[in-house]
Amino acid sequence: MDKTFDMFWETEVPENELIISRTDLKGIITYVNETFAKISGYKPEELIGKPHNIIRHPDMPKSVFKDLWSTIQQGKTWKGYVKNLRKDRGYYWVYAEISGVYKNGKLVEYKSMRAPVSREKKKEMQNLYDEMREKEGGPVRVVMYLDKETYDRLQSLCEKLGLEGEKVLKKLLEETNP
């Protein structure tokens, strides 16, 4: 079980820098600028060749990405707010503009340019995305405070079952609700 609070650590995107990346038509990263690597906590070589959803935060509703893909596959530019997951499990918010890159009239890749988001907009979007996930039946954020004895018992059970994180809760629910 993870008892860190990394998920609460926000990295601010600098006002004077853009995060830029490119992907192939399947969403595999082909290019990242240094700002993207620095903000996401990855080295460029850890990102190149990986699906762009390597940075997808669990707070993001699936419908947002469904809309994103539908929009860009129609040849349009998608614009919206995205909460991304850092390598260290922290997060950062961006305003993204994603569109196709064409050569000789043929779509060859996608590019994404991302900019900082105001504190007020982050709050607004977090509330909206929480509501959307709830309606979609998506993941729910849970923070627990346990006394040390209970935590130690859960940790021991996790080790015995070879489980970690949310898998523990799923396993306990399976065993208590056959």
Side-chain angles (χ1 to χ4, degrees), residues 45-72:
E45 59 271 18
E46 292 177 294
L47 292 165
I48 305 293
K50 299 286 191 303
H52 207 287
N53 66 10
I54 190 174
I55 60 166
R56 182 176 295 173
H57 196 283
D59 279 356
M60 289 299 299
K62 290 182 180 181
S63 60
V64 171
F65 292 103
K66 184 177 179 182
D67 178 63
L68 183 157
W69 277 103
S70 173
T71 301
I72 63 176

Side-chain angles (χ1 to χ4, degrees), residues 25-43:
L25 299 179
K26 294 181 181 178
I28 304 299
I29 299 170
T30 59
Y31 168 82
V32 299
N33 70 346
E34 284 298 320
T35 302
F36 181 20
K38 185 173 89 177
I39 297 296
S40 70
Y42 288 94
K43 295 177 182 166

Side-chain angles (χ1 to χ4, degrees), residues 93 117-128:
W93 280 95
V117 177
S118 73
R119 182 174 175 83
E120 295 76 26
K121 184 53 87 170
K122 291 175 196 175
K123 288 180 188 178
E124 175 188 337
M125 297 311 297
Q126 183 69 61
N127 289 332
L128 174 63

Side-chain angles (χ1 to χ4, degrees), residues 3-174:
K3 63 179 181 176
T4 69
F5 289 92
D6 293 353
M7 65 186 249
F8 297 119
W9 294 341
E10 180 177 6
T11 298
E12 294 286 335
V13 176
E15 283 292 327
N16 57 349
E17 295 187 46
L18 286 176
I19 296 172
I20 300 171
S21 63
R22 290 187 179 176
T23 70
D24 67 14
L25 299 179
K26 294 181 181 178
I28 304 299
I29 299 170
T30 59
Y31 168 82
V32 299
N33 70 346
E34 284 298 320
T35 302
F36 181 20
K38 185 173 89 177
I39 297 296
S40 70
Y42 288 94
K43 295 177 182 166
E45 59 271 18
E46 292 177 294
L47 292 165
I48 305 293
K50 299 286 191 303
H52 207 287
N53 66 10
I54 190 174
I55 60 166
R56 182 176 295 173
H57 196 283
D59 279 356
M60 289 299 299
K62 290 182 180 181
S63 60
V64 171
F65 292 103
K66 184 177 179 182
D67 178 63
L68 183 157
W69 277 103
S70 173
T71 301
I72 63 176
Q73 288 174 339
Q74 292 175 43
K76 300 175 185 173
T77 299
W78 183 88
K79 298 176 183 183
Y81 296 91
V82 180
K83 185 177 186 180
N84 285 321
L85 186 66
R86 287 178 42 84
K87 182 179 180 181
D88 65 7
R89 312 306 288 167
Y91 68 95
Y92 61 101
W93 280 95
V94 293
Y95 174 74
E97 292 188 14
I98 303 167
S99 61
V101 174
Y102 296 84
K103 289 190 181 173
N104 300 322
K106 181 180 178 189
L107 177 65
V108 294
E109 64 183 351
Y110 296 110
K111 66 179 175 185
S112 176
M113 295 193 319
R114 296 169 306 274
V117 177
S118 73
R119 182 174 175 83
E120 295 76 26
K121 184 53 87 170
K122 291 175 196 175
K123 288 180 188 178
E124 175 188 337
M125 297 311 297
Q126 183 69 61
N127 289 332
L128 174 63
Y129 288 170
D130 286 348
E131 290 173 21
M132 290 171 68
R133 274 193 336 280
E134 186 174 332
K135 287 178 184 171
E136 293 174 8
V140 177
R141 187 179 335 104
V142 176
V143 177
M144 287 185 180
Y145 293 92
L146 304 172
D147 61 74
K148 179 76 167 112
E149 181 182 342
T150 302
Y151 175 80
D152 289 343
R153 288 176 41 215
L154 277 173
Q155 186 67 32
S156 176
L157 178 61
C158 291
E159 290 170 10
K160 286 179 188 173
L161 296 173
L163 300 173
E164 57 185 50
E166 67 186 47
K167 294 176 187 172
V168 174
L169 294 175
K170 287 180 182 178
K171 180 73 172 175
L172 290 172
L173 287 172
E174 288 171 6

